[in-house]
Amino acid sequence: MTETGPSLVFDEKTTKHGVGEDVLGMLTGTFTASFGLYLLNASHAVTGGTAGLSLLLGFASEVPFWVLFAVINLPFAVLAVWKKGWDFTLRTMIAIALVSGFSVVHETFFVVGELNPVYGTLAGNLMAGIGLLIVFRHGGSLGGFNIVALVVQDATGIRAGWTLMVFDILVVLAALFVVPWPNVLMSAAGAVLLNLVLALNHRPGRYIGR
């Protein structure tokens, strides 16, 4: 008689996140992502997605990041409702509001004096990627291109990180018109790091908790 290894089939009810886990997860993810974006802002660097676009427009107009991030993401709510449903959309809207709110908290309580731009750019993108990954795993997103990437992943199986990388390249290239080219090169390297975090870790079926 041949022995078989332990089964990797889990009951959905035992692996699904509870309400408390989702709340803590969303708070952790949005705090981490917003702190990463704060480091990017302090480094005068951008990243991809609507977050990067918000940073870019902030450099050009001096409008606060939290205002731009909230406004730019509003149109994508329609796509979220249509393709992902109300549960995902509500979680995403909450995540966007939390990132906007936490950005004000960081600016108030964590005043940056001197920050090495290379460190700030890489660390900021790494933190943003980790935060976004946590938000994904708790059924939400940070809006904008994240929603498009998740829709593409659900429809084609192409990992969200690769789709986001395409959008991110376009945003980083647009930064050439706003920030010095050395900052753009740093931003490009950081955006690649962020998307590698997502592409290597956010795979459908890999994570049993969601």
Side-chain angles (χ1 to χ4, degrees):
M1 182 175 178
T2 303
E3 294 184 1
T4 59
S7 173
L8 293 179
V9 178
F10 296 86
D11 185 271
E12 183 178 356
K13 292 182 179 179
T14 65
T15 58
K16 185 177 180 180
H17 290 130
V19 175
E21 293 172 319
D22 278 337
V23 170
L24 184 58
M26 291 292 279
L27 288 172
T28 303
T30 53
F31 182 89
T32 305
S34 65
F35 185 71
L37 294 173
Y38 177 67
L39 292 179
L40 289 174
N41 197 16
S43 303
H44 211 70
V46 299
T47 187
T50 52
L53 186 59
S54 300
L55 289 170
L56 188 60
L57 293 176
F59 295 147
S61 65
E62 296 187 356
V63 176
F65 167 82
W66 68 270
V67 174
L68 292 168
F69 186 66
V71 171
I72 290 174
N73 278 296
L74 285 177
F76 291 94
V78 177
L79 176 63
V81 173
W82 178 36
K83 288 293 187 178
K84 301 291 291 183
W86 278 106
D87 181 66
F88 173 84
T89 303
L90 290 175
R91 290 171 188 258
T92 296
M93 293 174 65
I94 291 171
I96 291 170
L98 286 171
V99 168
S100 297
F102 280 138
S103 68
V104 177
V105 172
H106 300 319
E107 291 175 1
T108 303
F109 297 102
F110 192 79
V111 180
V112 176
E114 183 178 349
L115 178 65
N116 181 283
V118 175
Y119 171 84
T121 301
L122 296 178
N125 276 285
L126 182 60
M127 295 290 288
I130 293 171
L132 183 55
L133 179 64
I134 295 173
V135 172
F136 278 176
R137 287 180 169 178
H138 286 273
S141 77
L142 294 185
F145 303 145
N146 300 156
I147 296 174
V148 177
L150 288 174
V151 170
V152 171
Q153 178 171 276
D154 290 344
T156 66
I158 298 175
R159 296 177 194 169
W162 300 129
T163 301
L164 283 172
M165 189 174 292
V166 174
F167 287 114
D168 292 352
I169 290 172
L170 297 176
V171 173
V172 171
L173 288 176
L176 286 169
F177 297 98
V178 180
V179 297
W181 68 265
N183 297 61
V184 176
L185 291 179
M186 290 190 302
S187 299
V192 170
L193 177 62
L194 186 155
N195 284 287
L196 282 175
V197 171
L198 297 179
L200 296 177
N201 291 281
H202 189 67
R203 302 184 187 182
R206 163 172 283 189
Y207 185 62
I208 64 171
R210 169 60 65 179

